[in-house]
């Protein structure tokens, strides 16, 4: 009965590789998000989709590409991974724009 | 530049006392205000949200909003060691239904 689930939980990879993180929510929410939390614990929004439509696309390298096949899924693909990409990536969802966010458990990405 | 400011702490409070966490925001037109708790290595979880001026109580937690002074606070009564965590303040700005502006968080330590 997990509300927002993301996989994998841990991801260790080498520079230059391509990797994906998957996210699914079973709350029936219309909006999903990707956040990045760096070592200083600051949460930064990357992308947001509302009913499969991209509505927030913050200034992130174009190596990061979100994909939303339906409103319950939002995946994040990262090309040519760099050391600076190491962080915890959180998926989240909300019923509507000003509603509280429900977070997944996070994916800790380590690039070596 | 819209900002949300929090004292990074750590804020140390004796068990059983009241913990008071504060947050100020720069966008006077901000609409929605959230407090999230994040344990080390875990994802943020919603504690309280408040939309109108005044106090909102939920169990041991009280959120206080003062739009004129542009601050929102969280009071935790009868603090327990399990309340030790980082508390994140987040604000929805006037010009976006989906964007959240996050504070850097206040680390709270409850001493037995």
């Amino acid at each position: 009965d997990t509300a927002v689930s993301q996989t994998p939980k841990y991801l260790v990879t080498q520079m230059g590789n391509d990797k994906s993180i998957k996210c699914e929510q079973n709350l029936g929410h219309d909006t999903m998000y990707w956040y990045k939390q760096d070592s200083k614990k600051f949460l930064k929004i990357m992308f947001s989709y509302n009913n499969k439509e991209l509505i927030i696309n913050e200034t992130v390298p174009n190596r990061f590409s979100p994909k939303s096949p339906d409103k319950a899924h939002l995946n994040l693909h990262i090309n040519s991974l760099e050391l600076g990409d190491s962080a915890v990536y959180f998926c989240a969802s909300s019923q509507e724009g000003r509603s509280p966010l429900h977070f997944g458990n996070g994916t800790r990405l380590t690039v070596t | 530049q819209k900002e949300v400011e929090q004292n990074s702490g750590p804020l140390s409070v004796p068990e059983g006392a009241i913990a008071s966490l504060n947050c100020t925001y720069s966008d006077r037109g901000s609409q929605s205000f959230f407090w999230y708790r994040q344990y080390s290595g875990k994802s943020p979880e919603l504690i309280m949200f408040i939309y109108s001026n005044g106090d909102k109580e939920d169990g041991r937690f009280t959120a206080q909003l003062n739009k004129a002074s542009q601050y929102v606070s969280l009071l935790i009564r009868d603090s327990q060691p399990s309340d030790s965590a980082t508390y994140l303040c987040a604000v929805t700005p006037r010009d976006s239904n989906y964007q959240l502006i996050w504070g850097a968080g206040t680390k709270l330590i409850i001493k037995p």
Side-chain angles (χ1 to χ4, degrees):
Chain A
D1 59 346
T2 303
V4 182
S5 60
Q6 57 182 109
T7 55
K9 187 174 175 65
Y10 300 98
L11 190 50
V12 181
T13 188
Q14 292 183 328
M15 286 175 56
N17 285 347
D18 303 339
K19 291 294 179 185
S20 293
I21 307 172
K22 295 186 176 181
C23 179
E24 175 182 3
Q25 56 97 1
N26 63 5
L27 296 168
H29 288 169
D30 290 335
T31 308
M32 296 184 72
Y33 310 78
W34 278 112
Y35 277 88
K36 179 181 180 180
Q37 190 170 44
D38 59 25
S39 57
K40 294 184 179 179
K41 306 303 182 185
F42 196 77
L43 270 170
K44 180 180 177 182
I45 192 167
M46 302 173 70
F47 304 103
S48 178
Y49 273 76
N50 178 259
N51 279 321
K52 300 195 297 177
E53 178 185 349
L54 182 64
I55 55 172
I56 294 177
N57 185 0
E58 289 295 297
T59 306
V60 299
N62 56 16
R63 298 181 293 104
F64 290 79
S65 56
K67 282 187 173 52
S68 181
D70 54 62
K71 75 173 192 176
H73 295 83
L74 180 60
N75 303 322
L76 182 66
H77 189 75
I78 316 170
N79 289 328
S80 304
L81 278 155
E82 300 178 357
L83 292 176
D85 297 332
S86 296
V88 180
Y89 292 84
F90 287 105
C91 176
S93 71
S94 67
Q95 176 58 43
E96 54 186 8
R98 297 184 185 276
S99 300
L101 297 181
H102 295 257
F103 284 87
N105 288 331
T107 296
R108 182 174 294 277
L109 173 64
T110 304
V111 182
T112 61
Chain B
Q1 180 81 4
K2 300 182 180 70
E3 293 182 342
V4 172
E5 300 283 345
Q6 295 182 256
N7 188 321
S8 62
L11 175 65
S12 185
V13 173
E15 183 176 358
I18 296 175
S20 178
L21 303 161
N22 298 311
C23 170
T24 59
Y25 58 94
S26 62
D27 181 5
R28 183 169 289 277
S30 296
Q31 301 284 335
S32 309
F33 306 85
F34 304 90
W35 282 100
Y36 288 83
R37 177 177 64 198
Q38 188 174 25
Y39 293 114
S40 181
K42 301 294 185 182
S43 58
E45 57 178 326
L46 180 72
I47 297 295
M48 294 281 291
F49 61 91
I50 186 167
Y51 300 140
S52 304
N53 268 333
D55 294 2
K56 179 180 179 182
E57 187 175 317
D58 184 3
R60 296 186 298 113
F61 299 94
T62 299
Q64 298 176 319
L65 175 60
N66 184 324
K67 288 189 176 182
S69 301
Q70 294 176 236
Y71 81 79
V72 56
S73 61
L74 179 70
L75 302 178
I76 307 174
R77 290 182 299 281
D78 188 23
S79 296
Q80 304 295 311
S82 59
D83 294 326
S84 298
T86 296
Y87 288 80
L88 302 166
C89 174
V91 174
T92 303
R94 166 181 22 201
D95 60 355
S96 174
N97 284 333
Y98 299 95
Q99 179 70 281
L100 270 177
I101 309 300
W102 292 84
T106 298
K107 185 172 184 177
L108 175 66
I109 299 173
I110 305 300
K111 292 191 170 182

